């Protein structure tokens, strides 16, 4: 199911970080979207924040998937905080 997909995606991400090639924006967008489908909102936020450690800038897809993940879990406060943080970056939902 969706949880298995998230587990596999996170394992692949860890492998890529260790062995290469380095994960890119498409990698993160795909994993965050999988987390959203599986209602893993905390993992979505963690990955969103982890992107900065890899010098990757979230795009509209990243932001939308992360906010949707929070919204699906009824984590409205987290979704609103994230949207407020994105506003100065010029990213819109």
């Amino acid at each position: 199911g969706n949880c298995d997909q998230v587990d596999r995606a996170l394992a692949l991400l860890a492998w890529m970080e260790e062995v290469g090639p380095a994960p890119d924006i498409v990698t993160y967008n795909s994993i965050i979207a999988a987390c959203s489908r599986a209602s893993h909102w905390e993992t979505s936020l963690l990955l969103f924040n982890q992107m900065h450690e890899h010098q990757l800038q979230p795009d509209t897809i990243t932001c939308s998937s992360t906010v949707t993940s929070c919204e699906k879990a009824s984590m409205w406060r987290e979704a609103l905080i994230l949207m407020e943080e994105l506003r100065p970056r010029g990213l819109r939902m």
Side-chain angles (χ1 to χ4, degrees), residues 14-22:
W15 183 79
M16 290 175 76
E17 289 173 341
E18 190 173 317
V19 178

Side-chain angles (χ1 to χ4, degrees), residues 41 45 67 70 74-84:
W41 67 273
L45 283 175
V67 169
C70 293
S74 297
M75 303 307 294
W76 306 109
R77 183 175 180 273
E78 286 77 4
L80 290 172
I81 289 169
L82 180 59
M83 290 174 70
E84 283 298 314

Side-chain angles (χ1 to χ4, degrees), residues 3-16:
C3 288
D4 290 339
Q5 287 178 350
V6 171
D7 290 341
R8 285 194 303 266
L10 291 173
L12 177 61
L13 179 64
W15 183 79
M16 290 175 76

Side-chain angles (χ1 to χ4, degrees), residues 1-14 27-40 43-44 47 72:
N2 287 336
C3 288
D4 290 339
Q5 287 178 350
V6 171
D7 290 341
R8 285 194 303 266
L10 291 173
L12 177 61
L13 179 64
T27 307
Y28 276 94
N29 285 349
S30 298
I31 298 171
I32 290 171
C35 289
S36 179
R37 286 190 299 274
S39 300
H40 286 223
T43 306
S44 293
L47 291 168
K72 284 183 176 180

Side-chain angles (χ1 to χ4, degrees), residues 11 57 92:
Q57 289 299 316
R92 302 190 187 280

